[in-house]
Amino acid sequence: MTTEREVTSWREFRDHLGVAIVLAGGVLVGAINIYLVGSLLPSAVADIGGERLYAWSTTIFSVAQVAGTLAVSRMLSLRGTVGSYLIGFGVFAAGSVVCAVSPGMAVFLIGRGVQGLGAGLLTGLGFAAVYVALPPSLWVRGTALISAMFGVGTLVGPAMGGLFAQFGLWRAAFVVLAVVGVAAAGSAPRVLPKSDDRKTPAPVPIVSLTLVVGAATAVSVAGVVAGVAAMTLALAVAVASVLVFLVWEKRAVQRILPLATYRSGSPLRWVYLTIVVLSAGVGVEMFLPLFGQRLAGLPPVVAGFFGAALSLGWPVSQMLVASVQKEATIRRLRVAGPLLLAIGFLGLALLQRSHVSSPMVLAWLPLLFLAGAGIGIAWPHLSVAAMTSAPDPEEGQKAAAAIATILTMSTAFGAAVAGLLVNLGGSSPVNSARYLLLGFAAIAALGILAAHRVNHTRLIPDLRNHLVDLA
């Protein structure tokens, strides 16, 4: 697959700074919200009750987020870039307000669903808008910037949530999110392209949507049910839904994924599969603070920073490789991404002990950073490969929007698989940690094969230089 291209410097973003801020900000508010709520939820439950529904806060948000990403292409057809962002920020702000004023957990969960829908729209719009709002020379840097926001969210979210929870102001945190959403919505019309990229929307692919949302629901349920058998059944339903989805999409007239995904000789299927593997690896980080406390005796705050080391490697490495132009280097980065992820997890697995010494704990940090860097060095180049694997602008925009759906689905799936592997360890934290890390090292190894196929599959002609300026 050939993707050698002109890539400008970060300084070129000065002419598109407002666009970059809106695109990155839309992804960031959703990313912060995920981790912020994790810190705030104990305080919220203590205030409004509903402890038995505790785990459903994340489940409902995740399913709604996937549904939101699926609506991006149709939303752009109906409302254009500016109108879609206004709706996305507005829905997110409305959900935040509902959470802030919730008298009980039932209303709070409704707010979380609305928040998730808005966050999904904003995440999908971020990737799709890179395609229409930035010149091709900034696509790599644009995707690097917005996807780096997931790493930033893992750092800012817990800190922000912990601060509000410390002072018993959990409702105020949602008010702040709502204000940020409204402010971002106000800036969108001023900085986003004013072109009318609306078109007659295609009919809604009801069957495909139902199968994807069903898979997302099954994966999310797998994360909250008790027992390995119930979790395995839920994951089996999710896998079956995905397989049926792929069979249906290949033959359907109206589909969610671009036609190139199913076209013989196209690298797009392998691009998406590599993204799936890298995104699923993020599911490991939710259990890293737990192992830091139980195996190394770290205090909760310090253990939380260990978990964040993986996410920190993602944005840092992305910024370093976004300027790469040579095809040979890009090909190596695609394969090196899942390779570093596998090496990082394998190294961590070998360092798990019942009582971890301080030097060994410190050795965890570079391995976690290495694993995160594996995601970061491959991600922007895979995203641009997806955008340029479709033969026309409309399919290219669909390919870009589908990245967000694949990202959210893979992250949720990874978290559920991580929970299953941890449960297999039973009452032994060491066994749980080893099962988790070795399992995801094996999954990452599959990504090496997928990335290799990306590099050795011919590319559908890159039409970027022949397209009219969609921005």
Side-chain angles (χ1 to χ4, degrees), residues 32-105:
I32 288 176
N33 180 68
I34 294 172
Y35 296 96
L36 176 143
V37 172
S39 300
L40 290 177
L41 204 53
S43 299
V45 169
D47 184 17
I48 63 177
E51 185 173 357
R52 65 185 181 84
L53 299 175
Y54 188 102
W56 286 96
S57 172
T58 300
T59 299
I60 290 176
F61 180 90
S62 298
V63 173
Q65 188 176 27
V66 171
T69 63
L70 292 172
V72 168
S73 294
R74 185 172 179 82
M75 185 70 69
L76 286 170
S77 297
L78 290 171
R79 300 296 181 184
T81 304
V82 173
S84 297
Y85 262 100
L86 290 175
I87 293 172
F89 279 120
V91 171
F92 180 81
S96 299
V97 170
V98 172
C99 290
V101 301
S102 298
M105 183 56 76

Side-chain angles (χ1 to χ4, degrees), residues 150-244:
F150 294 103
V152 174
T154 65
L155 299 174
V156 176
M160 181 179 172
L163 181 64
F164 280 99
Q166 181 70 33
F167 294 99
L169 300 174
W170 70 270
R171 294 182 187 272
F174 290 103
V175 173
V176 171
L177 289 175
V179 171
V180 170
V182 171
S187 66
R190 296 196 299 270
V191 301
L192 291 176
K194 302 301 190 296
S195 62
D196 186 6
D197 51 353
R198 289 175 286 181
K199 55 185 76 71
T200 302
V204 179
I206 298 296
V207 175
S208 295
L209 286 171
T210 302
L211 289 168
V212 171
V213 173
T217 302
V219 168
S220 298
V221 169
V224 299
V225 295
V228 174
M231 180 181 292
T232 302
L233 177 61
L235 286 176
V237 171
V239 171
S241 298
V242 170
L243 293 177
V244 174

Side-chain angles (χ1 to χ4, degrees), residues 91-352:
V91 171
F92 180 81
S96 299
V97 170
V98 172
C99 290
V101 301
S102 298
M105 183 56 76
V107 177
F108 182 84
L109 293 179
I110 292 174
R112 289 288 285 155
V114 177
Q115 265 193 329
L117 187 62
L121 282 170
L122 293 171
T123 301
L125 285 169
F127 288 99
V130 164
Y131 188 88
V132 299
L134 293 175
S137 59
L138 287 176
W139 282 358
V140 175
R141 296 192 184 280
T143 55
L145 179 64
I146 62 175
S147 56
M149 294 302 102
F150 294 103
V152 174
T154 65
L155 299 174
V156 176
M160 181 179 172
L163 181 64
F164 280 99
Q166 181 70 33
F167 294 99
L169 300 174
W170 70 270
R171 294 182 187 272
F174 290 103
V175 173
V176 171
L177 289 175
V179 171
V180 170
V182 171
S187 66
R190 296 196 299 270
V191 301
L192 291 176
K194 302 301 190 296
S195 62
D196 186 6
D197 51 353
R198 289 175 286 181
K199 55 185 76 71
T200 302
V204 179
I206 298 296
V207 175
S208 295
L209 286 171
T210 302
L211 289 168
V212 171
V213 173
T217 302
V219 168
S220 298
V221 169
V224 299
V225 295
V228 174
M231 180 181 292
T232 302
L233 177 61
L235 286 176
V237 171
V239 171
S241 298
V242 170
L243 293 177
V244 174
F245 165 80
L246 294 174
V247 172
W248 174 267
E249 280 260 301
K250 186 175 182 179
R251 302 176 180 178
V253 175
Q254 304 301 330
R255 59 181 63 84
I256 293 173
L257 298 179
L259 179 61
T261 309
Y262 310 100
R263 185 173 292 170
S264 177
S266 169
L268 190 54
R269 69 186 70 182
W270 304 112
V271 171
Y272 283 156
L273 183 57
T274 310
I275 290 176
V276 166
V277 170
L278 294 175
S279 303
V282 179
V284 170
E285 73 176 3
M286 65 184 296
F287 291 99
L288 295 176
L290 175 66
F291 296 136
Q293 294 178 54
R294 292 187 176 180
L295 299 179
L298 300 175
V301 174
V302 177
F305 279 108
F306 270 78
L310 188 149
S311 292
L312 182 62
W314 183 350
V316 171
S317 62
Q318 278 190 141
M319 298 305 174
L320 295 177
V321 304
S323 60
V324 173
Q325 302 181 45
K326 293 183 177 179
E327 165 63 16
T329 305
I330 292 172
R331 291 160 67 92
R332 294 189 190 102
L333 288 172
R334 293 195 197 109
V335 176
L339 175 61
L340 292 183
L341 187 64
I343 291 173
F345 287 154
L346 179 60
L348 282 168
L350 297 176
L351 294 180
Q352 300 308 304

